[in-house]
Amino acid sequence: MKRPRKQTGMATWLASLMIISMPVLAQTDLDRLTELEAKTTAMAEELAILRAELEAARQEEPESELEALRSEVAVATQTAQRAEKSANEWKNTSAVTHISGYAAAGFTSEKNGTDSFDLVNFNPIFHFQYGDLVMWESELEVRVADNGETEVGLEYSAINIFLNDYVAFVAGKFISPLGNFRQNVHPAWINKLPSAPSGFGHDGAAPSAEVGFQLRGGMTFGEQSRFTYAAYIGNGPKLEGVGGELHGIETGGFAGDKDDEKIIGGRISFLPVPKLELGFSGAFGDAAVVENDGLDLVDDPSRAYTVLGADLMYRWNNFGFLGEYIQQDIADNASSLIPMGGKWESWYLQSAYRFAATKWEGVLRYTDYTSPHPDESQEQWTLGVNYLLTPNSALKVAYEVNDGLAGAETDNNRWLLQVAYGY
Amino acid sequence: MKNRPSHSVLAALAISTIGLGAILVEHPAQAAESSETSQPDPMQFVRGAKAWANNCNRCHRMRDPKELRDDQWRAVLSHMRTRGGLTGQETRDILAFLQGSN
């Protein structure tokens, strides 16, 4: 029995020990737990903050930077678009205004005459274009006269309406489409000599200008061939009598028609190959003497006016050939105050050679002009040398051997110097 | 003088009528303009170069494509089109060549 008592005592002791020690143990764990819990909470909080920061860093900050970048790019794009638009604006406009033209200065030394700087002219050309449909072209001729005054003329001012690919309608004052020299060669930077061939200046054998309507254009056929045409109706020339004779045929282009007679004419040309052009011109109608010795003449009967011409252009290697014949004819009319008509006729042949790989060019031209007035008629040889400074300018020196009525100005040989610029 | 039937009035009318007729029938120049913007024709430059070489030194020395800006060439080419009897198509081709070479 003793043994169970002893066992019971042991158990009781252990139990008491446990009971006594348990609260002690429990107390320590709780502290640590609390501490751990606090730490964990702090860490969780810290983690949450970090997460939030990370999230913010991940989401908000780059997003706003990206946004800023995006708007910067948008502004830059807009600026670039605006800049591109304004840079291209001039290319895409439907209307274009353009100035070109030519100018020349010259010196003439005439045998039995004077040596003088006798040429300063300025011919601005204005182009006003709308789409591919309309172009208005105007050329002024401004020059200093020998008395120092400035003379201004309207060389041409006409609208071109491109009706289709082959027809342009022209209205206004235009260069006479008859012949080649007046319309295609006379600008100083194009003409290879400082002078016009005799009879191809103003009021000679070749008509200068016309006021009226014109249709012109061209078409190609075959591999390389071309046909060009120009047809017009206009007021025609003005006839003047001086001392009982026809003074000349004035063809400067008149915005009025005292004789009320219109002229119809034109030119066609064929280019079997681009290097060769053959042109034929003609104009027909009536004209009347409207001025006699400086006074108006009314109701003088009209008479036939005829222009006939043929021209040729040919290029071969460094050679360039031009040739042209033109005549203006006024019929006789017995009941006119000036009964005698007359024929103004001229032709020239010109050949030019450009020395290979240099800027030098040599030119030779022969002209024979016959006018009803013997002091105007002239046979002329012109030899010239040019220095072709740029494709649009030239320095020209030429010598004219002139054979006219003895004692008349047309009989004097001349040295000519000219500087020409086309712009 | 005033009472005669006027041939010139008839001729003036004829010129204007042919003109008007042509403009009413078609206007390829404008059609080509719009098709140009929508669909560039790769052969245009080549055709233009050829037409330029064949035509632009017929009357005067060849002018350098670099002399002028694109818009200036537009005006000059309209000017040269009527001078030289060029067709509308040739003019557009040469313009494309000059504008691509300046």
Side-chain angles (χ1 to χ4, degrees):
Chain A
M1 296 276 301
K2 240 186 177 175
R3 211 179 164 139
R5 266 185 68 209
K6 216 180 172 177
Q7 272 181 337
T8 314
M10 187 79 163
T12 313
W13 183 81
L14 268 173
S16 330
L17 190 72
M18 272 176 73
I19 289 161
I20 292 163
S21 66
M22 244 175 77
V24 176
L25 268 176
Q27 191 57 47
T28 326
D29 276 355
L30 206 70
D31 282 352
R32 282 176 65 197
L33 263 170
T34 318
E35 202 180 318
L36 269 171
E37 208 175 50
K39 273 190 185 160
T40 313
T41 315
M43 275 171 75
E45 270 167 18
E46 223 169 287
L47 198 69
I49 292 171
L50 276 173
R51 267 214 188 107
E53 274 176 11
L54 191 71
E55 200 57 24
R58 206 185 262 159
Q59 287 183 353
E60 281 161 33
E61 276 184 335
E63 189 106 312
S64 63
E65 244 175 63
L66 210 69
E67 267 315 300
L69 220 64
R70 271 201 193 119
S71 62
E72 257 175 56
V73 169
V75 171
T77 311
Q78 263 179 13
T79 315
Q81 277 168 348
R82 271 202 302 271
E84 195 190 356
K85 185 177 170 290
S86 61
N88 284 319
E89 240 164 30
W90 60 272
K91 280 191 202 167
N92 304 327
T93 54
S94 39
V96 177
T97 302
H98 175 238
I99 297 180
S100 64
Y102 57 95
F107 173 85
T108 305
S109 170
E110 191 172 321
K111 206 179 160 200
N112 305 322
T114 56
D115 295 351
S116 59
F117 295 94
D118 61 341
L119 171 74
V120 187
N121 69 0
F122 168 58
N123 288 43
I125 299 175
F126 304 87
H127 293 135
F128 306 99
Q129 175 155 358
Y130 196 95
D132 276 353
L133 185 59
V134 179
M135 192 192 49
W136 193 290
E137 49 172 3
S138 291
E139 178 183 328
L140 292 177
E141 179 165 64
V142 185
R143 55 163 65 228
V144 183
D146 56 3
N147 63 4
E149 274 175 19
T150 302
E151 293 171 349
V152 182
L154 187 62
E155 281 271 299
Y156 57 77
S157 184
I159 191 168
N160 293 261
I161 302 175
F162 298 102
L163 303 176
N164 61 35
D165 272 8
Y166 310 99
V167 190
F169 171 73
V170 183
K173 177 173 177 180
F174 41 83
I175 299 183
S176 174
L178 304 171
N180 185 41
F181 186 83
R182 279 307 305 171
Q183 56 179 330
N184 294 328
V185 189
H186 91 272
W189 67 274
I190 300 179
N191 187 3
K192 293 184 185 300
L193 288 167
S195 58
S198 197
F200 287 81
H202 289 279
D203 307 330
S208 301
E210 187 56 277
V211 175
F213 289 170
Q214 184 185 180
L215 290 175
R216 61 188 291 156
M219 50 203 65
T220 50
F221 58 94
E223 265 291 287
Q224 308 200 282
S225 310
R226 177 183 309 277
F227 165 76
T228 81
Y229 69 91
Y232 74 92
I233 175 163
N235 286 331
K238 212 164 98 173
L239 305 184
E240 268 180 40
V242 172
E245 284 187 330
L246 262 190
H247 172 60
I249 308 175
E250 289 189 29
T251 55
F254 303 99
D257 197 9
K258 281 190 183 166
D259 62 15
D260 201 18
E261 301 286 2
K262 302 293 167 285
I263 300 299
I264 292 172
R267 173 176 180 263
I268 49 171
S269 84
F270 299 101
L271 292 93
V273 286
K275 288 175 188 312
L276 174 67
E277 176 162 4
L278 297 165
F280 302 93
S281 305
F284 312 92
D286 286 338
V289 181
V290 293
E291 228 176 275
N292 191 39
D293 291 331
L295 298 172
D296 278 359
L297 187 64
V298 189
D299 280 347
D300 195 67
S302 57
R303 62 257 292 239
Y305 166 72
T306 319
V307 189
L308 287 174
D311 56 84
L312 168 137
M313 265 204 268
Y314 181 60
R315 282 177 289 128
W316 179 64
N317 295 330
N318 290 358
F319 280 101
F321 300 99
L322 288 181
E324 184 166 0
Y325 169 86
I326 200 144
Q327 69 160 63
Q328 287 189 102
D329 188 274
I330 297 289
D332 295 343
N333 186 330
S335 49
S336 165
L337 192 67
I338 316 284
M340 275 271 283
K343 188 196 271 185
W344 283 256
E345 172 181 42
S346 187
W347 64 274
Y348 69 88
L349 278 176
Q350 174 183 299
S351 101
Y353 181 78
R354 167 112 185 234
F355 295 94
T358 72
K359 293 188 165 190
W360 294 94
E361 184 179 59
V363 193
L364 180 67
R365 182 179 71 198
Y366 172 79
T367 315
D368 189 3
Y369 173 43
T370 315
S371 153
H373 307 294
D375 61 333
E376 284 174 1
S377 296
Q378 188 179 52
E379 193 185 345
Q380 181 183 66
W381 282 95
T382 313
L383 183 67
V385 177
N386 301 331
Y387 183 73
L388 310 171
L389 197 63
T390 64
N392 57 338
S393 66
L395 312 177
K396 311 186 227 173
V397 183
Y399 187 67
E400 276 180 2
V401 179
N402 291 315
D403 188 5
L405 188 72
E409 219 180 290
T410 44
D411 196 39
N412 295 342
N413 293 353
R414 301 193 297 174
W415 276 102
L416 302 156
L417 301 181
Q418 195 187 67
V419 188
Y421 187 85
Y423 43 87
Chain B
M1 236 162 123
K2 298 276 173 268
N3 292 335
R4 90 195 122 73
S6 174
H7 296 297
S8 53
V9 170
L10 289 178
L13 275 173
I15 284 189
S16 336
T17 315
I18 296 170
L20 262 173
I23 206 170
L24 288 177
V25 170
E26 52 165 356
H27 203 272
Q30 276 188 333
E33 199 179 35
S34 50
S35 72
E36 223 172 279
T37 43
S38 59
Q39 225 184 35
D41 170 0
M43 285 311 285
Q44 188 168 41
F45 186 88
V46 180
R47 287 197 310 267
K50 207 174 147 211
W52 174 76
N54 280 341
N55 289 290
C56 299
N57 60 353
R58 268 163 50 199
C59 305
H60 48 70
R61 279 172 280 152
M62 199 59 115
R63 302 283 292 249
D64 188 345
K66 292 198 184 327
E67 254 181 62
L68 300 174
R69 282 194 321 245
D70 287 5
D71 59 331
Q72 297 173 317
W73 278 123
R74 270 175 69 192
V76 168
L77 278 208
S78 293
H79 191 197
M80 291 305 113
R81 173 178 169 179
T82 45
R83 277 302 156 100
L86 305 175
T87 65
Q89 188 58 53
E90 286 176 301
T91 310
R92 293 188 291 276
D93 293 348
I94 297 175
L95 186 62
F97 165 73
L98 289 168
Q99 291 183 338
S101 311
N102 57 358

